[in-house]
Amino acid sequence: MDFARVELNAEDRGFLAEVRAFLAQHVTDEVRRRDRETGDNFDEGVHLAIGAAGYLEKEWKSAADGGFTRVRRRIWELEKRRVHTPWVTWGTTAMVARAVAAFGKPELVEEVLPKVFTGEVRMCLGYTEPEGGSDVATCKTRAVRDGDQWVINGSKMFTTGAHNCQYVFLITNTDPTARKHKSLTMFLVPLDLPGIEIQGIRTVDGDRTNIVYYSDVRVDDKYLLGEVNGGWTVLRGPLDAEHGAVAAAPDGLQDVAIMQHQTGFMSAAVDAVAAKAARPGPDGARPIDDGSVAYRLGRSAARLEAALSTPSIFGRVAQAQTMRDIGPDLMDIAGPASVLPIESEGAADGGTSEYLYRFAPLAGIYGGTLEVFRNMIAQHVLGLGKPSYAPPATKAS
């Protein structure tokens, strides 16, 4: 990995100025306030403006196909993050769009992709079920062929963004008698079909996700992706991308691990608490001059830096675990007023450590639980066997 500083040429400096001006115009304080209130991590006006400017298409495509160069892609990613652009729904849309391009029928590709690039079409992930946990292959949502249509019944949990999307990338079971990885079929289901009900759910950090019910939903065969009972092949690419199991480019021009943008919450909290600890209190003493405060704050900063430097799927685990580890310490250092949320009068550190504390448990669930990722590391990296969750065998008396 190349950690050298990139010197921008005149054209790239011009692009940086262009992007900053564009985002300053569209990602306003009002947009950020509304996003905190809704918990959507999506703003339609911003998304459509980004599409109209051509940035969605350039981000999705490779440089060889007319997309961003590596340097401009990095500029775009960092500038979006710097101004807190609501962005989760594009992340799921981009992943699904690649599966549609690879496995969709030509008429479906033509229906979907052009509007993905304009921002008019967004897509979400229909994986998890209320009783299924992180093992998506245990899918019980049924799809039954009826002529040139399919009838779908079931429910999906944590379908983030469904209320702002036009399609769901839906995993279904089309052969309950087959082995679980041989029974899956993927569909791109329009979310405006009769029989679909979307109900919002609020998480502890204020985000909105959804449970989606499918009751006798009739889907045309053109929305089938790949082969019947071949859904695992269709699903593997998006799953690998979501899990961060895709190798990073060696040029250093991308995050070393997936979800690293969310470690910005940790950086903000460490910086805010450090600033507070360096200010004298009413008695003139600085909290940082207390050895225990200095030690705990330094330990939190060191853990943050270690997590930011950990690559690939290991970094996915390190970041989420570090959020859980340092959040309570930072709140304790900041004092009782740290329990006040962002924008509350009197919040000790602007609400940063309180938000980190609430977000940390969810960071270890998004895209799969930490336990799942640790099992993946054990099996696929360390070469250990599959875990057994069966109860211990009992000897006959």
Side-chain angles (χ1 to χ4, degrees):
M1 183 173 293
D2 182 4
F3 286 100
R5 181 178 294 276
V6 176
E7 295 294 339
L8 300 182
N9 59 33
E11 291 78 10
D12 289 336
R13 287 197 299 271
F15 176 73
L16 172 60
E18 168 196 313
V19 167
R20 284 187 172 175
F22 175 86
L23 292 173
Q25 177 184 354
H26 294 285
V27 187
T28 62
D29 288 340
E30 172 62 20
V31 166
R32 288 185 284 265
R33 180 196 61 78
R34 186 166 58 243
D35 188 48
R36 286 195 297 271
E37 291 177 353
T38 63
D40 284 354
N41 209 329
F42 173 78
D43 185 281
E44 186 170 41
V46 171
H47 193 77
L48 291 173
I50 292 173
Y55 293 135
L56 295 180
E57 186 170 6
K58 286 183 177 295
E59 179 172 336
W60 194 83
K61 291 183 175 180
S62 67
D65 291 330
F68 287 133
T69 64
R70 293 289 297 161
V71 169
R72 292 193 178 192
R73 183 176 300 276
R74 190 58 174 164
I75 290 171
W76 172 241
E77 290 169 349
L78 293 177
E79 289 303 311
K80 283 187 307 180
R81 190 178 305 174
R82 184 178 62 82
V83 299
H84 303 289
T85 306
W87 203 241
V88 163
T89 299
W90 171 248
T92 58
T93 298
M95 282 193 293
V96 177
R98 299 198 185 284
V100 173
F103 296 100
K105 296 176 176 62
E107 60 268 32
L108 181 61
V109 174
E110 182 60 31
E111 174 183 324
V112 171
L113 284 193
K115 291 185 178 180
V116 164
F117 298 147
T118 64
E120 298 169 85
V121 160
R122 285 89 60 180
M123 297 179 281
C124 53
L125 307 178
Y127 295 168
T128 305
E129 297 188 348
E131 298 179 0
S134 293
D135 187 357
V136 297
T138 60
C139 169
K140 290 182 172 59
T141 294
R142 290 280 284 119
V144 178
R145 187 185 285 277
D146 183 16
D148 59 355
Q149 290 188 319
W150 294 82
V151 181
I152 298 175
N153 284 279
S155 59
K156 297 290 181 178
M157 193 72 167
F158 305 129
T159 308
T160 300
H163 58 300
N164 290 315
C165 291
Q166 287 67 47
Y167 297 90
V168 57
F169 186 55
L170 189 69
I171 183 172
T172 69
N173 188 316
T174 44
D175 187 357
T177 64
R179 293 167 53 194
K180 66 178 185 179
H181 287 88
K182 302 295 184 181
S183 65
L184 307 175
T185 302
M186 297 302 301
F187 293 89
L188 189 72
V189 178
L191 282 166
D192 60 357
L193 293 177
I196 296 178
E197 180 184 354
I198 300 171
Q199 292 185 3
I201 301 171
R202 280 278 187 166
T203 61
V204 69
D205 71 327
D207 285 352
R208 171 174 170 160
T209 186
N210 302 283
I211 183 169
V212 183
Y213 298 98
Y214 302 86
S215 302
D216 292 327
V217 178
R218 303 188 73 86
V219 179
D220 290 341
D221 195 58
K222 78 170 182 175
Y223 294 105
L224 170 69
L225 296 175
E227 301 296 328
V228 176
N229 296 332
W232 195 247
T233 300
V234 180
L235 190 60
R236 284 299 298 271
L239 272 183
D240 285 347
E242 189 179 19
H243 289 162
V246 179
D251 59 13
L253 289 171
Q254 67 185 84
D255 292 336
V256 299
I258 195 170
M259 293 179 68
Q260 195 160 37
H261 62 285
Q262 293 173 324
T263 58
F265 302 144
M266 279 198 290
S267 299
V270 169
D271 288 347
V273 173
K276 183 181 186 304
R279 290 193 296 269
D283 60 355
R286 301 188 312 163
I288 195 67
D289 294 328
D290 183 309
S292 66
V293 171
Y295 172 78
R296 295 169 72 193
L297 185 58
R299 182 176 61 183
S300 294
R303 287 181 172 176
L304 166 66
E305 292 300 326
L308 290 174
S309 302
T310 305
S312 186
I313 193 171
F314 309 98
R316 169 72 179 84
V317 173
Q319 291 163 23
Q321 187 62 56
T322 302
M323 288 186 190
R324 297 181 179 189
D325 290 342
I326 73 173
D329 262 359
L330 293 175
M331 289 187 72
D332 196 36
I333 293 168
S338 67
V339 301
L340 296 174
I342 188 170
E343 294 186 343
S344 296
E345 184 178 354
D349 53 1
T352 56
S353 59
E354 187 271 345
Y355 181 75
L356 175 64
Y357 182 81
R358 284 189 292 118
F359 181 77
L362 300 172
I365 296 173
Y366 291 145
T369 66
L370 285 183
E371 291 73 20
V372 167
F373 283 105
R374 288 185 170 117
N375 283 340
M376 290 169 63
I377 291 170
Q379 290 176 235
H380 304 300
V381 179
L382 301 180
L384 303 179
K386 289 186 177 182
S388 174
Y389 301 109
T394 56
K395 295 181 178 180
S397 57

